[in-house]
C-alpha cells in the first residue's frame, strides 16, 4: 500500500475524513504525539490499526473525538467527567468512563466495561474527526514498543506502506502522551502521567486524586492499571541510561564515541559537539518533554551509537511524565557516578 502524505489544508482534511469513512487507517497530529486513526465503530478498520502497530489486542484503544457530542452514544458522561472536559478539553487529558452496554466494540475496550476518551487540541484533527462523523481510535502512531512519534517523518519511518495516509501538521508541542485518569475507580486515579498533573486534576475535582504510577504503595482496593502499562514501552533498540545532572562531570569522563548524550543546553555547552554525539533537550521541563522521543529515535538510527545517556528532570509538573517515559525507555538503568562504578 502506498502511504499518502496529506497537508493541513481543507481539501486534504476532506480526503483524510473520506479515507476514515471507508475503513482505512490515517495517522493524525495531536498536541501530544501523532496517533493512528480508524473508525472506532468499524471492527475491520480497528483491526488494521492493531496490525499496523503490531499491538497486542488485549491493550484497549482511546476513542478520539472532535466534539463532546460525538461521545454521547457510547459512554456515560458523569458529573466529574463533565467538569474535567470543561477545563481540560480540548487538550492532553484522556478520561476512562463507563461504556453504555453493547455500544463499544470489544476490540476498542479490550473486553473492559470502560473506555478511554480524548479530544485532542489539534484543530486539523478535530475537524477531520467531525467530518468523518464517528469517533476514531487513536493509539500513538509508532510500532508497538517504540518511542511515540512527534513528527510526520517519525510516523512515516514506522508506518510507510502499512497505512493509507499521514496528515502532516508539523511537530507536536507537548511531546509526551496525554495524562490518563480513570473515573470509574473508587477515587479518580491517574494511570498514566502527562501534561495535566495530579494537582491540576485535584483543583478541578476538589477531591483527592490517586497517582497509580507513583512509587508509593497503593491501598489494596486501589490497584487499577492501564493495561498498556504492562508492556515494554518507549524503548529504542540502543541501551538507554538516565543520568542525574549532578553526575554530569563524572559522566563526561567516561563518554566514548559510541555514546550519545541527550541533555539540556546548559550542560551541552561544556562539550565539543564535533567529538561527542549530542541532542539538545532545550531548556526546562516543557522543552525536554517536547524533545525526548525525537532524540531517542534519532540515535536509534545511528549505527555508530551503542548507548544513549539521557538527563533526568525534576519530578514535578510534566517532569513526572518525562521521567516516567525515560524510566521505561531505560528499563530503570541509571548512571551511578564514578565512585560506585
Ligand atoms: O496522547 C495520547 O493519548 C496519544 C495521542 C495519539 O492521542 N494516544 C495514545 O494512545 O497514547 P495509546 O493507545 O498509545 O495509549 C492509551 C493508553 C494505553 O496505556 C491503554 O492501555 C490505556 O490508555 N487505556 C485505554 N483504554 C483503557 C481503559 N478502558 N482502561 C484503562 N486503560 C485504558
Ligand atoms: Mg502508545
Amino acid at each position: 500500500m502506498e502511504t499518502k502524505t496529506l497537508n493541513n489544508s481543507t481539501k486534504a482534511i476532506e480526503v483524510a475524513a473520506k479515507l476514515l469513512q471507508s475503513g482505512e487507517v490515517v495517522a493524525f497530529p495531536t498536541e501530544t504525539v501523532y496517533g493512528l486513526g480508524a473508525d472506532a465503530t468499524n471492527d475491520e478498520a480497528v483491526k488494521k490499526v492493531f496490525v499496523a502497530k503490531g499491538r497486542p489486542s488485549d491493550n484497549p484503544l482511546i476513542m478520539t473525538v472532535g466534539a463532546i457530542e460525538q461521545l454521547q452514544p457510547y459512554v456515560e458522561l458523569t458529573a466529574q467527567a463533565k467538569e474535567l472536559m470543561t477545563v481540560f478539553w480540548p487538550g492532553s487529558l484522556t478520561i476512562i468512563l463507563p461504556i453504555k452496554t453493547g455500544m463499544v466494540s470489544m476490540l476498542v475496550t479490550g473486553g473492559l466495561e470502560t473506555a478511554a476518551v480524548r479530544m485532542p487540541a489539534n484543530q486539523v484533527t478535530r475537524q477531520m474527526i467531525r467530518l468523518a462523523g464517528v469517533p476514531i481510535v487513536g493509539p500513538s502512531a509508532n510500532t508497538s514498543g517504540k518511542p511515540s512519534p512527534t513528527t510526520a517523518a517519525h510516523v512515516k519511518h514506522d508506518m510507510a506502506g502499512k497505512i493509507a495516509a499521514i496528515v502532516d501538521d508539523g511537530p507536536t508541542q507537548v511531546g509526551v502522551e496525554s495524562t490518563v485518569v480513570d473515573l470509574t475507580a473508587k477515587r479518580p486515579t491517574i494511570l498514566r502521567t502527562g501534561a495535566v498533573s495530579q494537582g491540576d486534576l485535584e483543583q478541578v475535582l476538589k477531591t483527592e486524586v490517586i497517582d497509580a504510577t507513583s512509587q508509593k504503595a497503593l491501598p489494596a482496593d486501589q490497584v487499577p492499571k492501564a493495561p498498556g502499562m504492562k508492556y515494554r514501552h518507549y524503548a529504542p533498540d540502543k541501551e538507554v541510561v538516565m543520568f542525574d545532572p549532578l553526575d554530569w562531570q563524572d559522566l563526561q569522563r567516561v563518554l566514548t564515541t559510541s555514546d550519545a548524550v541527550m541533555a539540556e543546553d546548559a550542560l551541552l555547552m561544556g562539550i565539543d559537539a564535533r567529538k561527542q554525539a549530542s541532542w539538545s533537550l532545550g531548556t526546562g521541563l516543557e522543552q525536554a518533554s517536547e524533545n525526548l522521543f525525537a532524540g531517542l529515535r534519532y540515535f536509534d538510527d545511528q549505527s555508530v551509537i551503542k548507548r544513549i545517556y539521557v538527563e533526568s528532570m525534576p519530578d514535578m509538573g510534566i517532569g513526572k511524565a518525562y521521567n516516567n517515559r525515560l524510566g521505561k525507555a531505560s528499563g530503570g538503568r541509571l548512571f551511578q557516578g564514578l565512585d560506585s562504578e
Side-chain angles (χ1 to χ4, degrees):
M1 171 186 312
E2 219 220 300
T3 304
K4 272 196 208 81
T5 301
L6 299 168
N7 62 23
N8 56 10
S9 67
T10 309
K11 185 95 199 300
I13 298 169
E14 283 168 13
V15 172
K18 286 234 165 66
L19 285 168
L20 289 169
Q21 286 172 337
S22 59
E24 296 299 333
V25 177
V26 176
F28 58 91
T30 82
E31 81 284 12
T32 58
V33 301
Y34 274 73
L36 267 193
D39 178 351
T41 68
N42 174 342
D43 276 357
E44 292 312 310
V46 175
K47 277 183 201 157
K48 291 181 190 171
V49 169
F50 283 104
V51 173
K53 273 187 73 79
R55 179 169 173 133
S57 60
D58 63 339
N59 192 0
L61 301 169
I62 300 178
M63 287 177 83
T64 310
V65 294
I68 293 176
E69 302 82 75
Q70 286 192 298
L71 286 174
Q72 263 145 12
Y74 308 104
V75 292
E76 306 287 353
L77 296 179
T78 62
Q80 282 186 328
K82 284 180 186 159
E83 285 172 29
L84 293 182
M85 288 170 183
T86 304
V87 177
F88 298 111
W89 280 19
S92 312
L93 180 68
T94 295
I95 308 175
I96 311 285
L97 292 174
I99 53 172
K100 294 186 175 165
T101 314
M103 293 307 291
V104 186
S105 165
M106 294 263 294
L107 280 177
V108 176
T109 63
L112 300 169
E113 304 286 301
T114 58
V117 299
R118 155 157 156 80
M119 180 158 75
N122 185 284
Q123 296 209 26
V124 168
T125 285
R126 291 211 307 279
Q127 176 64 13
M128 174 189 79
I129 305 172
R130 286 195 298 264
L131 274 179
V134 284
I136 63 173
V137 292
S140 48
N142 50 290
T143 301
S144 197
K146 294 291 152 211
S148 293
T150 55
T151 66
H154 294 160
V155 180
K156 205 176 222 174
H157 178 281
D158 286 14
M159 294 295 154
K162 298 181 180 170
I163 62 175
I166 302 169
V167 178
D168 185 351
D169 191 31
T172 64
Q173 296 83 50
V174 177
V176 292
E177 305 84 349
S178 59
T179 302
V180 178
V181 65
D182 185 355
L183 292 183
T184 70
K186 237 184 192 166
R187 278 176 284 174
T189 303
I190 294 173
L191 302 181
R192 182 174 72 184
T193 46
V196 177
S197 71
Q198 186 178 17
D200 295 338
L201 294 170
E202 287 181 335
Q203 207 169 14
V204 173
L205 294 176
K206 298 188 180 60
T207 178
E208 189 192 353
V209 172
I210 309 289
D211 183 355
T213 72
S214 85
Q215 318 294 0
K216 284 173 236 138
L218 291 169
D221 63 339
Q222 287 282 340
V223 281
K225 286 262 144 54
M229 297 318 231
K230 69 175 184 249
Y231 300 105
R232 186 154 181 259
H233 259 83
Y234 316 109
D237 294 328
K238 306 297 165 70
E239 184 181 338
V240 178
V241 180
M242 296 181 269
F243 72 93
D244 188 305
L246 291 174
D247 291 324
W248 175 232
Q249 296 300 334
D250 281 358
L251 178 59
Q252 277 177 275
R253 288 158 60 190
V254 302
L255 289 173
T256 71
T257 50
S258 62
D259 296 324
V261 185
M262 293 172 55
E264 289 179 285
D265 288 336
L267 297 192
L268 293 182
M269 257 166 34
I271 63 168
D272 183 346
R274 287 162 306 180
K275 293 194 185 132
Q276 186 62 58
S278 65
W279 181 271
S280 168
L281 293 172
T283 301
L285 299 177
E286 265 82 21
Q287 286 183 19
S289 302
E290 184 181 337
N291 295 323
L292 175 65
F293 289 153
L296 293 175
R297 282 182 165 266
Y298 176 77
F299 290 123
D300 217 15
D301 286 341
Q302 306 282 310
S303 54
V304 292
I305 300 301
K306 306 291 178 228
R307 185 184 293 161
I308 312 167
Y309 286 100
V310 190
E311 184 185 351
S312 62
M313 291 288 142
D315 220 21
M316 51 192 279
I318 199 169
K320 271 200 175 173
Y322 173 97
N323 288 334
N324 167 272
R325 305 316 190 266
L326 177 55
K328 284 169 193 287
S330 63
R333 273 184 298 268
L334 177 68
F335 176 66
Q336 296 296 343
L338 292 182
D339 294 338
S340 46
E341 279 236 318

